[in-house]
Amino acid sequence: MRIVGIGCCWLWMVQLVAAQVERVEPLHWWAGMSNPDVQLLVYGEQLADKVVSIDYPGVQLIKTHRPENPNYLFLDLRIATAAKPGVFPIRFTETGTEAIVYHYELKARDPELHRLQGVNTSDLIYLIMPDRFANGDDGNDIVPNLHETALNRDSLYYRHGGDLQGIIDHLDYLEELGVTALWLNPVLTNDQPTTSYHGYANTENYEIDPRFGGNEAYRKLIDACHNRGMKVVKDLVHNHFGTNHYTVRDLPMPDWVHEWPAYTKTNYREQVHMDPYASKADRVVMVDGWFDKQMADMNHQNPFVRNYITQSHIWWIEEMGVDGFRLDTYAYNDLDYMAEWATKITEEYPRMTFFGETWVHGVPNQAFFTTGNRINQGVDTGLQGVTDFQGLWAIYEALNGKFGWMDGVVRLYNTLANDFMYEDPSRNVVFLDNHDLSRFYSVVGEDDLKFRSGIAWLLTTRGIPQLYYGTEILMKNYANPDGLVREDFPGGWKGDRVDKFTASGRSAAENEAFDYVKKLANYRKQHAVLHTGKLLQFIPENGVYVYFRYDEQATVMVIMNSNAEAVTLDTERFAEGLRGRRGAVNVVTDEVLTDIGRIAVPATTTMVLELR
Ligand SMILES: [Ca+2]
Ligand SMILES: [Ca+2]
């Protein structure tokens, strides 16, 4: 369906050039982008001596770069506003040989993209590891020309066969739960020999892994989500490529990746970015050291690397209409590059949203990476939001710790009190677990009351809540090794013994958990006060933490009783939040409270009240 006629050109072109121009990336570009410049990477055998020419109205070849490796050329193109969509020949000539012609396409931009909303506080993000959620097409489980062909559902390390069709097949389930956005762990092709299922070692930048269904399945998923008003967050890895990426196997230039005399791991210490006393040696190892042996650390000081990565991200927005980005291993990147990246993305798409993974320790360390230069970082990264690990540890302490001057629920209060360090803390993504962490139900000792209490906090505090697949059905386990928290969603595979996508396949406790999440998530979805309402919190006393979300229309009161005993709360102290309201409805139970002067709060319970 997409531009009939290109197929003929393509066949003709393949016959002419397949031997020498293997790849041109980005695969295609668009007329009418606000940034007129694009840099094409051309890969093929012995291109170094070719003279390149382009003859197409509005497209100017500004410069041909010839890096050390003769198999690469980089072409700087400037595309005038007046350039029309179409296919144009790029000619590669050399004395005494026939010209190679590569047909490159400038597409028309999709006018629908102006509707791009980004992912914001109105959303509930659901994180899926695509290999482990559902297998919608067993025909793609094994792709023989890729390096890893073993499929073994009993192994924590092998592929299990989950794919994008499996996600499409369960969108009803997710919509019923109250999910409005999906974040998938990276889905680009990872043609690595082992443990390629997790997706964090891409070997292609323009291809969805065929084991997930390829680019067409990704388009189908995004369209299916958009048709339901759901969004899709793409997980991006700037920091590294898989070692089987063709540009890593055949480096365009010696400084394409960070090479070390012997394998050098990063030190995983974010502190070196902000430490006024840090040694240069430690900084270099943090940013230029490798995250893992299968993951080549990209040299972000190299402008060709920057262009190659940034353009591929713009391509996925324009090509597929992805709604948001999650930026992996944020602290391991070169921050000057990340600032440039954010500028280029937001100049092209002012409403695009993105948040960075900041698995770091302490609010200042986390805020350091965010936009606004609030603490004189020296670089304004442009990073809108972060994965709020500080909130995560605070809710763990609130649920599992013992109340004290600095402990228990006080940790939650203290953590939010530090929000002044962010330009806009509401853009932070709050969560209870993810693909790298022990599952929340296990963290709270499989205590159903603590589980519900955490869910209530997740869906009422500030920020964009994120749920990890299976948390809603009490999936459990500790992240040691990681595979234990990446188990298959029961029912996602043909022949599974139970199907927990359906109420009849779930136990009573699992249904209770599912229904609890569903009730609060859908309440949140329908009530703007929990998206954009202000937050007002009170100093916790006697193990009870009280906060309000309020706007002109509505007030929601949240009471977190962290005690193992029921309490009766005298609410006089909270008059500022009650704003004259005398009654309430319990959002979870629908129980009506006619007098909220004193409120009975059960043990280990977070009560969510809509004040009347
Ligand atoms: Ca499959
Ligand atoms: Ca790095």
Side-chain angles (χ1 to χ4, degrees):
M1 289 297 285
R2 298 187 61 79
I3 312 185
V4 183
I6 295 302
C8 330
C9 293
W10 172 250
L11 281 178
W12 174 58
M13 180 192 80
V14 165
Q15 281 164 4
L16 269 177
V17 307
Q20 283 164 304
V21 172
E22 285 177 34
R23 292 168 177 264
V24 177
E25 291 174 338
L27 300 185
H28 51 258
W29 205 243
W30 291 268
M33 300 293 278
S34 59
N35 178 358
D37 296 328
V38 62
Q39 183 171 71
L40 306 187
L41 178 156
V42 183
Y43 182 58
E45 214 175 308
Q46 290 296 330
L47 298 171
D49 297 326
K50 306 289 183 194
V51 175
V52 185
S53 61
I54 292 173
D55 182 13
Y56 187 77
V59 177
Q60 194 186 353
L61 175 60
I62 302 284
K63 189 167 183 190
T64 301
H65 302 270
R66 299 172 198 283
E68 285 87 343
N69 183 336
N71 296 337
Y72 288 88
L73 295 173
F74 290 91
L75 311 180
D76 292 348
L77 268 52
R78 182 154 297 158
I79 299 164
T81 318
K84 298 270 189 297
V87 177
F88 61 85
I90 306 176
R91 298 175 67 83
F92 301 83
T93 53
E94 190 179 341
T95 318
T97 62
E98 204 173 330
I100 298 169
V101 181
Y102 189 95
H103 287 82
Y104 194 77
E105 186 181 8
L106 270 192
K107 288 188 171 184
R109 295 190 72 182
D110 180 355
E112 294 284 298
L113 265 183
H114 72 270
R115 295 191 309 179
L116 181 89
Q117 293 296 311
V119 174
N120 55 46
T121 53
S122 71
D123 287 305
L124 167 59
I125 301 172
Y126 189 85
L127 167 60
I128 291 175
M129 178 150 282
D131 183 56
R132 305 289 165 88
F133 186 64
N135 189 0
D137 177 4
D138 48 24
N140 62 21
D141 291 358
I142 292 171
V143 176
N145 64 332
L146 296 179
H147 285 90
E148 186 178 8
T149 51
L151 186 84
N152 183 353
R153 282 187 71 198
D154 295 330
S155 163
L156 300 176
Y157 303 97
Y158 286 84
R159 288 199 171 245
H160 291 190
D163 51 36
L164 301 179
Q165 185 59 47
I167 299 170
I168 295 169
D169 293 343
H170 294 97
L171 290 178
D172 282 344
Y173 168 85
L174 297 171
E175 196 174 342
E176 183 196 351
L177 185 61
V179 169
T180 68
L182 304 183
W183 154 25
L184 313 183
N185 295 116
V187 288
L188 290 174
T189 297
N190 272 229
D191 191 12
Q192 292 292 122
T194 56
T195 56
S196 67
Y197 74 92
H198 57 63
Y200 286 97
N202 65 288
T203 55
E204 293 287 341
N205 287 50
Y206 293 91
E207 181 188 79
I208 303 299
D209 202 302
R211 290 163 293 200
F212 293 145
N215 289 20
E216 282 317 301
Y218 195 57
R219 183 186 303 282
K220 191 178 164 194
L221 171 69
I222 291 177
D223 289 349
C225 286
H226 286 177
N227 288 338
R228 293 169 180 259
M230 288 166 76
K231 303 169 185 174
V232 176
V233 177
K234 194 164 198 300
D235 199 333
L236 305 181
V237 189
H238 296 70
N239 184 60
H240 47 261
F241 291 175
T243 44
N244 269 346
H245 195 283
Y246 73 98
T247 67
V248 176
R249 291 168 66 98
D250 190 17
L251 296 169
M253 50 196 73
D255 63 349
W256 183 256
V257 303
H258 289 129
E259 290 200 278
W260 296 79
Y263 174 74
T264 302
K265 262 197 321 194
T266 173
N267 47 32
Y268 308 98
R269 297 278 187 185
E270 82 275 3
Q271 289 81 357
V272 299
H273 282 287
M274 58 208 76
D275 175 7
Y277 317 115
S279 71
K280 283 191 190 112
D282 285 345
R283 280 191 190 146
V284 167
V285 171
M286 172 63 191
V287 177
D288 296 359
W290 288 30
F291 200 80
D292 183 272
K293 277 194 171 159
Q294 288 204 40
M295 298 168 176
D297 198 74
M298 302 311 294
N299 177 12
H300 294 159
Q301 285 97 47
N302 181 329
F304 296 98
V305 172
R306 291 185 180 208
N307 286 334
Y308 183 71
I309 297 174
T310 304
Q311 290 176 168
S312 73
H313 300 157
I314 289 172
W315 192 89
W316 285 103
I317 303 175
E318 192 68 32
E319 179 72 3
M320 299 274 180
V322 296
D323 301 280
F325 288 142
R326 178 261 189 190
L327 317 181
D328 183 59
T329 44
Y330 193 85
Y332 301 84
N333 293 311
D334 178 286
L335 297 187
D336 289 327
Y337 167 51
M338 297 314 285
E340 175 193 291
W341 177 89
T343 302
K344 286 194 169 169
I345 297 293
T346 46
E347 277 178 357
E348 203 65 67
Y349 307 98
R351 292 194 290 190
M352 187 63 180
T353 56
F354 41 87
F355 58 95
E357 181 205 20
T358 46
W359 190 343
V360 301
H361 305 273
V363 174
N365 299 33
Q366 187 166 281
F368 179 88
F369 295 100
T370 61
T371 193
N373 208 16
R374 302 268 288 179
I375 39 182
N376 300 317
Q377 295 98 315
V379 53
D380 187 342
T381 58
L383 183 64
Q384 301 162 351
V386 288
T387 54
D388 195 351
F389 274 84
Q390 314 322 306
L392 175 86
W393 289 314
I395 186 67
Y396 288 177
E397 169 64 18
L399 296 172
N400 289 336
K402 191 173 179 314
F403 180 72
W405 185 253
M406 294 294 281
D407 306 315
V409 279
V410 175
R411 178 90 172 267
L412 211 44
Y413 166 85
N414 285 349
T415 301
L416 287 171
N418 285 151
D419 267 3
F420 70 92
M421 301 195 87
Y422 303 103
E423 184 180 272
D424 182 358
S426 79
R427 294 188 292 198
N428 290 347
V429 172
V430 287
F431 57 104
L432 300 169
D433 51 10
N434 69 24
H435 59 290
D436 290 323
L437 301 166
S438 296
R439 283 191 171 272
F440 179 60
Y441 192 50
S442 293
V443 169
V444 294
E446 300 181 26
D447 180 320
D448 295 313
L449 291 176
K450 288 183 178 179
F451 174 83
R452 275 178 241 164
S453 202
I455 294 286
W457 170 79
L458 176 75
L459 295 171
T460 57
T461 190
R462 64 96 174 105
I464 307 169
Q466 172 248 299
L467 198 67
Y468 184 43
Y469 81 94
T471 293
E472 75 278 12
I473 55 158
L474 305 179
M475 281 176 74
K476 56 194 182 191
N477 248 325
Y478 294 92
N480 185 24
D482 289 336
L484 288 173
V485 298
R486 301 168 180 179
E487 290 185 313
D488 298 345
F489 194 108
W493 276 251
K494 265 182 226 155
D496 275 0
R497 196 172 45 83
V498 287
D499 180 2
K500 296 193 179 181
F501 286 111
T502 62
S504 59
R506 297 189 285 263
S507 70
E510 289 161 359
N511 269 320
E512 249 180 70
F514 178 89
D515 292 342
Y516 186 86
V517 175
K518 175 182 161 180
K519 179 89 185 190
L520 270 178
N522 281 286
Y523 179 83
R524 187 184 189 283
K525 187 173 168 183
Q526 289 149 11
H527 291 80
V529 66
L530 293 179
H531 314 157
T532 51
K534 289 189 172 136
L535 174 67
L536 172 71
Q537 64 171 356
F538 288 83
I539 299 166
E541 285 181 2
N542 305 317
V544 180
Y545 170 47
V546 174
Y547 60 94
F548 294 82
R549 298 294 304 272
Y550 68 99
D551 60 18
E552 301 267 300
Q553 283 78 39
T555 303
V556 170
M557 179 183 192
V558 183
I559 308 167
M560 183 181 288
N561 176 15
S562 71
N563 300 295
E565 304 84 35
V567 296
T568 300
L569 188 71
D570 186 330
T571 61
E572 200 183 336
R573 180 163 81 96
F574 311 113
E576 197 181 328
L578 298 173
R579 298 190 300 162
R581 267 93 165 165
R582 302 232 170 101
V585 173
N586 183 320
V587 168
V588 173
T589 63
D590 298 321
E591 184 196 355
V592 176
L593 285 73
T594 50
D595 177 9
I596 54 171
R598 287 167 71 77
I599 301 174
V601 190
T604 321
T605 293
T606 295
M607 206 177 225
V608 183
L609 302 174
E610 181 183 306
L611 302 192
R612 297 277 171 90

